[in-house]
């Protein structure tokens, strides 16, 4: 017997949501075989098996939150690494002929243990079994709606919905949908109330518990908004030179296989400003009442993912070339879409840049990525009629919105920060002055 | 070795273009991956070029010849006076079938924009392989690798294959002249099919099985019919034979296969293998190195193309980010003897051994109208079901087209169908499939066309 506890995943994470099991009780694991997907604050992380051995029990259900040190898995380990990891599918000819008549019986129709206990096959069509495996669900745990015990796609769907709702909602929030799907689980008062009006109420509104990434986003936004007195400074700057610069560099980058967007350029232009105004690359230690200036420049990039906002982090951005930033951004954004980012790639940012324009808005007031001190939102580049020397000219304008922690940053400083950034964006060649 | 060696980056690198490898390549290409496929020979692998396909082609040619000579034709009023065959022509026809299929596979590979390299490959480390052929030498760095190198006839300790006196099954299919006598050692479907093929063409065949019976793990009743069919063709069968004491020549030995993994330098990539050299994989076909997959015979699994094909698809889907596994409940086995035998799932004995309480049913071919109109009555269908819920666990069919009939029993088992399900549906009448329904009815004690 050996217990496996939720390990410290770094960055002070105290808990993680068990997202998906990749193993089942009875499986024989290889060392480092992925065991489980857990979701921490912003990342989905796979935890590999620390030993080779057979899984005796899984202690934490999918969808529930485990605390640091909670027992997740119990292994059978007679010796240290006894059972020489026996593959599921290969049938070594050395096995006694009686034990291995064919692959198929080994996989599922025969008792995997000693052949005496009958392995109860769950009656389910191949498509249902395939889906269950995809979702990491043990079919034996799924309740059948048929007297024969046959598990159908519908049963599987009910199981999933049920598991999600159970894990997310505490009883009082139990929704109308729950009571209809699983009458046994429903809370008495609500059910009697919904007998007559149930149908109509259901149509009028639908409740969905906050789970997964949505729940994290909500928690973080709440914390930031409640703790930090936000103030936002607006400006609109001339992006004509920036657009021209990008046009010039774009084909060159393309030849090297990189799609050059505005973001890498904006990051590069932002860095000298952050260095000149270190308070913007800092955080406030609320307990000790101390300002913590960060020496590293890890730029968070607010990114839309199918499940919600993610902030992948461009680490040590000040040590990267524009091309390197572009390459890393492509990787980070693709990773955010697929939710395959490592924990180090979504945490530890020191300042956050939010390209509101890419989401379709012209501008917006961003909420600070707690515990940072500021966040810069850049809007959509748009041609506008601008008065210059008493003449109307067409210029490509870039709206900016800088939210800052008013406890440590004053409005005047935010203004100076923006005007320095304006100077750099309007004359990007200034970058050359400080280049080594 | 190579001067000015440049590493080329590839996405998915697949080694071996047999049924496992080319299927993996096509599936990966369908899923948007860039695939490089390496094959030393032409595409199609052993199955297509030297194994299943040539054997089945020759079997069907020899069956036609043999059927023309049966007395039963006279009963139907047909006389065929001078029926003869020409072995070289038969071989040439077989080859034309093979070539047609090879061309088809080549077109699929090209049509899916898969890059095909002619050469052999081995690992430099867990991320790079060297590929060398007559006209090329590459150092390839891959994102994912799928090994599909197949297997070859297991060598015999003191009996080297010379292709003349001692032959592998593949070599037997390429004999340029038919021998007068042929001895065959083995008890698997390959040994039985070779015995059938040569006996039909008038070769005096002796079959030596290492154990007590042919086809271990098939129920006795159907097996007796196959054995009787072989005897009728003049095949002499001897059991418990010792290969060391066998001095008859030419001798074909069907002694199973050994994975082709020795030349891959698997150590360089730290890929783990079994004692027999099979690459150890999990149910998602991943080796001990997660981005390197192995499929088909090189994993040491049962050497069946049907398994290799499915595993190829699984590996391609897994490396493309899908979560799927190789977990069929059953794998059908077809033996092209006269009569033909096909079996899927558990035999009655294996089911009991696995701890099931079972009920069985059977139905003889002689009671099936369609069989009689085909002029044959040697055959049977047997079925094994779980007594607790009536779900079908296994089935065996002996008789004409057994290999095609068995597919519906695979479907029944995979879908968890019960005896009652089989009993309820309508089968075309008269038809051979009715045998399956009546065997299920027999298990339910309600078969019509046999007396209780």
């Amino acid at each position: 017997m050996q217990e496996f506890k939720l390990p410290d995943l770094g960055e002070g994470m105290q808990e993680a949501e068990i997202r998906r099991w990749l193993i089942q009780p009875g499986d024989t694991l290889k060392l480092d075989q992925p065991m489980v997907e857990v979701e921490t604050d912003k990342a989905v992380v796979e935890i590999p098996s620390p030993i080779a051995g057979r899984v005796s029990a899984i202690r934490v259900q999918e969808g529930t939150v485990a605390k640091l040190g909670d027992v997740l898995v119990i292994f059978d380990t007679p010796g240290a690494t006894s059972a020489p990891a026996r593959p599921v599918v290969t049938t070594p000819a050395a096995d006694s002929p009686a034990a291995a008549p064919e692959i198929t019986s080994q996989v599922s129709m025969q008792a995997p243990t000693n052949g005496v206990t009958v392995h109860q096959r769950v009656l389910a069509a191949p498509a249902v079994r395939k889906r269950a495996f995809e979702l990491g669900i043990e079919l034996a745990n799924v309740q059948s709606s048929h007297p024969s015990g046959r598990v159908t796609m519908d049963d599987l769907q009910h199981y999933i919905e049920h598991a999600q709702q159970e894990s997310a909602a505490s009883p009082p929030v139990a929704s109308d949908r729950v009571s209809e799907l699983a009458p046994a689980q429903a809370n008495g008062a609500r059910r009697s109330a919904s007998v007559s009006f149930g149908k109509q109420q259901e149509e009028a509104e639908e409740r969905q518990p906050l789970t997964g990434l949505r729940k994290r986003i909500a928690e973080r936004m709440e914390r930031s908004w409640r703790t930090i007195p936000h103030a936002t400074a607006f400006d609109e700057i001339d992006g004509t030179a920036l657009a021209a610069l990008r046009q010039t560099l774009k084909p060159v980058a393309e030849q090297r296989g990189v799609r050059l967007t505005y973001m890498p350029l904006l990051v590069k232009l932002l860095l000298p400003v952050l260095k000149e105004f270190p308070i913007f690359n800092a955080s406030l230690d609320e307990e000790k009442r101390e300002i913590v200036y960060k020496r590293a420049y890890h730029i968070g990039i607010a990114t839309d993912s199918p499940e919600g906002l993610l902030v992948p982090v461009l680490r040590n951005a000040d040590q990267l070339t524009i091309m390197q930033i572009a390459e890393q951004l492509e990787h980070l954004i693709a990773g955010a879409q697929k939710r395959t980012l490592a924990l180090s790639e979504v945490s530890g940012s020191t300042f956050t840049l939010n390209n509101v324009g890419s989401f379709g808005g012209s501008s917006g007031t961003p909420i600070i990525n707690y515990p940072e001190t500021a966040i810069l939102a850049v809007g959509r580049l748009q041609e506008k009629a601008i008065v210059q020397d008493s003449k109307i000219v067409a210029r490509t304008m870039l709206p900016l919105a800088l939210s800052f922690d008013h406890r440590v940053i004053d409005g005047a400083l935010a203004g100076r920060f923006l005007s320095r950034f304006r100077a750099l964006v309007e004359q990007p060649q200034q970058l050359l002055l400080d280049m080594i | 070795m190579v001067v000015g060696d440049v590493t080329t980056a590839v996405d998915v690198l697949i080694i071996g273009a047999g049924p496992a490898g080319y299927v993996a390549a096509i599936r990966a290409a369908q899923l948007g991956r860039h695939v490089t496929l390496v094959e030393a020979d032409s595409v199609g692998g052993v199955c297509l070029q030297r194994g299943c396909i040539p054997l089945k082609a020759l079997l069907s040619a020899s069956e036609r010849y043999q059927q023309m000579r049966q007395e039963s034709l006279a009963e139907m009023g047909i006389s065929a006076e001078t029926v003869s065959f020409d072995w070289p022509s038969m071989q040439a026809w077989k080859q034309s079938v093979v070539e047609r299929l090879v061309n088809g596979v080549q077109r699929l590979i090209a049509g899916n924009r898969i890059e095909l390299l002619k050469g052999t490959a081995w690992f430099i480390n867990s991320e790079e392989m060297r590929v060398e052929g007559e006209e090329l030498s590459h150092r390839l760095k891959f994102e994912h690798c799928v090994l599909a190198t197949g297997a070859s006839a297991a060598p015999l300790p003191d009996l080297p294959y010379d292709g003349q006196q001692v032959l592998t099954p593949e070599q037997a299919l390429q004999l340029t002249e038919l021998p007068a006598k042929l001895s065959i050692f083995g008890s698997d479907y390959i040994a039985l099919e070779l015995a059938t093929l040569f006996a039909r063409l008038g070769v005096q065949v002796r079959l030596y099985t290492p154990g007590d019976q042919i086809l271990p793990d098939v129920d006795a009743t159907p097996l007796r019919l196959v054995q009787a069919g072989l005897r009728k063709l003049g095949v002499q069968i001897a059991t418990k034979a010792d290969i060391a004491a066998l001095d008859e020549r030419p001798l074909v030995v069907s002694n199973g296969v050994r994975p082709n993994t020795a030349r891959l330098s698997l150590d360089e990539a730290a890929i783990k293998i079994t004692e027999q050299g099979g690459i150890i994989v999990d149910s998602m076909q991943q080796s001990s190195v997660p981005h390197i997959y192995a499929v088909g015979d090189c994993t040491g699994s049962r050497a069946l193309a049907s398994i290799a094909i499915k595993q190829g698809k699984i590996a391609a889907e897994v490396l493309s980010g899908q979560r799927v596994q190789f977990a069929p409940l059953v794998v059908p086995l077809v033996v092209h003897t006269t009569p033909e035998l096909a079996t899927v799932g558990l035999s009655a004995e294996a089911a009991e051994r696995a701890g099931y309480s079972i009920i069985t049913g059977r139905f003889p071919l002689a009671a099936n109208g369609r069989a009689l109109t085909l002029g044959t009555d040697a055959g049977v269908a047997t079925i094994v079901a779980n007594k607790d819920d009536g779900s079908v666990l296994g089935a065996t069919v002996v008789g004409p087209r057994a290999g095609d009939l068995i597919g519906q029993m695979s479907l029944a088992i995979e879908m968890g169908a019960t005896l009652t399900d089989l009993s309820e549906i309508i089968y075309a009448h008269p038809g051979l499939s009715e045998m399956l329904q009546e065997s299920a009815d027999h298990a339910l004690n309600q078969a019509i066309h046999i007396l209780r």
Side-chain angles (χ1 to χ4, degrees):
Chain A
M1 282 288 219
Q2 186 169 331
E3 290 178 340
F4 175 74
K5 296 172 178 162
L6 181 66
D8 186 355
L9 299 169
E11 308 277 352
M13 301 290 178
Q14 288 301 308
E15 58 178 37
E17 181 176 331
I18 306 301
R19 208 170 131 94
R20 189 166 79 171
W21 283 102
L22 307 172
I23 54 166
Q24 297 175 354
D27 283 1
T28 301
L29 303 191
K30 292 182 281 198
L31 180 66
D32 289 335
Q33 178 179 339
M35 274 195 318
V36 60
E37 277 180 17
V38 303
E39 179 166 345
T40 61
D41 260 16
K42 279 187 266 179
V44 176
V45 185
E46 261 183 14
I47 301 181
S49 171
I51 58 164
R54 211 177 71 86
V55 179
S56 143
I58 288 176
R59 281 298 176 81
V60 185
Q61 289 304 308
E62 280 177 14
T64 56
V65 173
K67 295 254 185 310
L68 195 68
D70 280 1
V71 176
L72 300 184
V73 180
I74 295 175
F75 288 99
D76 274 348
T77 44
T81 48
S82 66
R86 186 177 151 171
V88 194
V89 177
T90 44
T91 43
D95 272 11
S96 70
E102 56 176 59
I103 289 177
T104 60
S105 28
Q106 241 190 30
V107 171
S108 39
M109 285 178 72
Q110 201 165 301
T113 47
N114 49 18
V116 179
T117 46
V118 178
H119 174 63
Q120 208 53 48
R121 173 190 168 193
V122 178
L123 281 186
V128 177
R129 302 202 299 268
K130 181 186 164 112
R131 180 88 177 118
F133 180 78
E134 192 183 357
L135 297 166
I137 292 170
E138 171 91 65
L139 268 184
N141 295 338
V142 179
Q143 203 175 4
S144 166
S145 56
H146 297 245
S148 66
R150 178 180 303 269
V151 175
T152 63
M153 215 53 112
D154 283 346
D155 295 336
L156 200 58
Q157 193 57 39
H158 285 191
Y159 178 85
I160 297 160
E161 282 168 16
H162 200 120
Q164 279 172 353
Q165 305 202 356
E166 221 171 44
S167 73
S170 45
V173 199
S175 67
D176 296 337
R177 271 172 73 212
V178 173
S179 64
E180 193 181 83
L181 289 175
Q185 287 280 320
N187 118 10
R190 180 163 280 282
R191 191 153 51 151
S192 59
S194 63
V195 166
S196 45
F197 310 108
K199 265 274 175 287
Q200 275 177 347
Q201 280 177 359
E202 252 173 32
E203 281 162 15
E205 62 182 42
E206 182 182 313
R207 286 167 170 267
Q208 198 181 42
L210 285 179
T211 56
L213 185 61
R214 195 72 256 159
K215 191 168 150 198
R216 309 266 180 266
I217 294 172
E219 284 167 6
R220 293 187 72 94
M221 290 296 175
E222 255 169 33
R223 187 168 179 193
S224 175
W225 193 249
R226 283 201 184 140
T227 322
I228 304 177
H230 277 66
T232 306
F234 298 95
D235 202 350
E236 192 171 52
I237 63 179
D238 188 340
T240 314
L242 178 69
L245 179 65
R246 175 173 175 257
Q247 280 311 324
T248 318
L249 297 180
K250 205 177 148 189
V252 187
E254 230 154 57
Q255 278 170 6
R256 289 156 67 174
V258 177
R259 205 171 70 86
L260 188 68
T261 61
Y262 284 102
M263 279 309 259
L265 297 172
L266 288 169
V267 170
K268 200 68 190 171
L269 292 163
L270 177 69
L271 283 162
V273 191
L274 284 178
K275 287 189 175 172
E276 281 170 45
F277 298 87
I279 186 67
F280 288 86
N281 196 56
S283 67
L284 176 64
D285 184 333
E286 279 152 14
E287 261 177 45
K288 296 194 181 140
R289 309 309 287 177
E290 286 170 354
I291 296 172
V292 185
Y293 292 96
K294 306 288 167 69
R295 296 227 170 88
Y297 296 86
H298 302 321
I299 308 299
I301 307 289
T303 306
D304 189 30
S305 88
E307 290 166 70
L309 170 71
L310 270 178
V311 188
V313 179
L314 207 52
R315 297 189 86 79
N316 297 310
D318 58 328
Q319 293 163 28
L320 301 175
T321 65
I322 290 175
M323 284 297 280
Q324 285 167 334
I325 293 173
E327 274 168 4
Q328 284 211 15
L329 268 181
E330 244 176 77
H331 160 78
L332 289 172
I333 290 168
Q337 297 286 337
K338 291 187 231 150
R339 309 256 355 234
T340 55
L341 293 173
L343 196 57
S344 67
E345 291 175 312
V346 285
S347 54
S349 60
T350 56
F351 183 88
T352 300
L353 187 58
N354 186 355
N355 183 6
V356 191
S358 71
F359 308 145
S362 72
S363 189
T365 57
I367 294 181
I368 295 168
N369 189 5
Y370 184 91
E372 291 160 26
T373 52
I375 181 168
L376 180 65
V378 294
R380 195 187 330 151
L381 275 162
Q382 244 174 334
E383 272 211 324
K384 283 185 180 171
I386 298 297
V387 182
Q388 242 173 26
D389 304 330
S390 306
K391 279 184 197 146
I392 293 176
V393 291
R395 304 295 291 180
T396 306
M397 299 309 285
L398 179 67
L400 298 178
L402 175 72
S403 291
F404 53 94
D405 184 343
H406 218 327
R407 292 172 302 179
V408 293
I409 298 171
D410 295 331
L413 196 59
R416 286 202 289 278
F417 180 97
L418 281 178
S419 67
R420 177 68 185 119
F421 188 58
R422 165 204 288 270
L424 274 167
V425 172
E426 295 186 348
Q427 290 179 324
Q429 58 270 41
Q430 280 193 34
L431 277 181
L432 292 170
L433 289 177
D434 294 312
M435 213 149 72
I436 301 167
Chain B
M1 197 164 100
V2 182
V3 185
D5 206 9
V6 180
T7 307
T8 313
V10 296
D11 181 14
V12 178
L13 180 62
I14 300 182
I15 312 301
Y22 85 73
V23 168
I26 293 172
R27 185 74 188 115
Q30 285 177 346
L31 293 170
R33 309 302 302 237
H34 295 282
V35 182
T36 306
L37 180 61
V38 179
E39 171 61 58
D41 207 332
S42 57
V43 300
V46 169
C47 167
L48 216 154
Q49 307 201 30
R50 301 184 298 277
C52 335
I53 297 294
L55 176 54
K56 266 61 185 184
L58 291 175
L59 275 166
S60 78
S62 64
E63 186 179 31
R64 293 241 192 137
Y65 168 70
Q66 184 231 349
Q67 282 173 345
M68 299 291 280
R69 287 160 43 98
Q70 278 174 359
E71 308 83 48
S72 57
L73 283 182
E75 287 177 21
M76 292 179 183
I78 301 168
S79 65
E81 312 243 309
T82 55
V83 180
S84 64
F85 73 91
D86 176 50
W87 176 245
S89 306
M90 208 179 262
Q91 286 277 28
W93 172 74
K94 169 203 89 179
Q95 206 51 40
S96 73
V97 173
V98 169
E99 275 156 24
R100 209 173 139 183
L101 282 166
V102 168
N103 283 338
V105 173
Q106 268 166 350
R107 270 203 297 275
L108 286 172
I109 289 172
N112 280 287
R113 298 171 187 279
I114 293 160
E115 188 181 1
L116 183 61
L117 299 179
K118 195 170 171 69
T120 50
W122 60 92
F123 284 100
I124 300 169
N125 54 52
S126 64
E127 286 170 354
E128 289 173 294
M129 280 190 108
R130 157 85 48 207
V131 177
E132 286 204 350
E134 279 174 22
E135 292 156 15
L136 53 87
S137 172
H138 291 304
R139 184 188 175 110
L140 300 181
K141 185 171 171 33
F142 53 82
E143 292 286 314
H144 299 278
C145 178
V146 181
L147 299 172
T149 49
S152 307
L156 301 165
D158 304 312
L159 209 56
Y161 296 109
D162 58 16
Q164 295 296 324
Q165 297 302 305
V166 182
L167 304 105
T168 64
E170 288 176 31
Q171 289 167 342
L173 292 175
Q174 284 160 2
L175 281 171
T176 45
E177 280 176 47
L178 272 186
K181 293 181 179 176
L182 185 66
S183 300
I184 297 169
F185 180 85
S187 62
D188 59 0
Y189 75 95
I190 298 170
L192 298 189
E193 291 187 352
L194 286 173
T196 304
L197 164 64
F198 288 105
R200 281 172 182 166
L201 299 177
V203 178
Q204 203 181 325
V205 176
R206 288 187 179 170
L207 178 65
Y208 295 93
T209 71
D212 286 341
Q213 66 170 57
I214 56 174
L215 292 179
D217 291 314
V218 174
D219 281 327
T221 313
L223 214 49
R224 272 199 293 277
L225 288 162
V226 171
Q227 221 152 354
L230 286 168
R231 290 221 174 81
K232 205 172 154 196
L233 284 171
V235 177
Q236 295 174 12
I237 303 174
T239 56
K240 292 186 190 162
D242 176 9
I243 192 162
L246 252 179
D247 53 5
E248 292 169 11
R249 298 289 184 276
L251 174 68
V252 183
V253 183
S254 182
N255 186 39
V257 292
R258 179 171 294 182
N260 297 333
T261 53
R263 292 180 194 160
L264 285 168
S265 304
L266 294 174
D267 284 351
E268 303 295 334
I271 297 167
K272 296 197 180 107
I273 55 172
T274 63
E275 270 174 41
Q276 290 75 35
I279 299 165
I280 297 175
V281 290
D282 59 17
S283 68
M284 294 170 83
Q285 303 303 134
Q286 282 167 313
S287 74
S288 50
V289 182
H291 67 287
I292 300 175
Y293 302 71
V295 292
D297 294 358
C298 70
T299 62
S301 64
R302 267 172 105 198
L304 289 176
S306 53
I307 292 175
I309 289 167
K310 181 66 184 166
Q311 291 182 342
K313 289 180 197 163
I314 295 289
E317 288 170 359
V318 171
L319 69 83
S320 303
Q322 296 183 14
R323 189 177 142 82
V324 291
Q325 64 170 344
F326 179 79
L329 286 181
V330 292
V331 177
L333 176 73
V334 180
V335 189
H336 293 262
T337 42
T338 317
E340 194 169 305
L341 177 141
T343 183
V344 65
L346 299 176
S347 66
E349 200 191 315
E352 278 178 330
R353 217 165 40 214
Y356 288 102
S357 57
I358 58 166
I359 43 172
T360 62
R362 50 184 287 204
F363 189 80
L365 192 66
N368 177 276
R370 178 69 182 127
L372 296 185
T373 64
L374 286 169
T376 175
D377 61 0
V380 71
T382 65
I383 195 163
V384 181
N386 184 351
K387 198 174 183 177
D388 296 336
D389 58 12
S391 60
V392 181
L393 298 172
T396 303
V397 180
V398 178
R401 296 163 206 175
D404 298 319
L405 293 179
I406 205 70
Q408 50 186 304
M409 298 316 283
S410 301
L411 181 65
I413 296 171
E414 290 283 0
M415 294 296 293
T418 63
L419 293 171
T420 308
D421 289 327
L422 292 178
S423 175
E424 280 306 299
I425 58 182
I426 303 287
Y427 284 84
H429 177 83
L432 291 169
S433 313
E434 288 178 292
M435 283 167 74
L436 302 171
Q437 184 169 46
E438 293 243 35
S439 68
D441 276 332
H442 181 241
L444 297 169
N445 207 15
Q446 58 190 28
I448 298 298
H449 293 95
I450 42 174
L451 298 172
R452 283 203 212 179

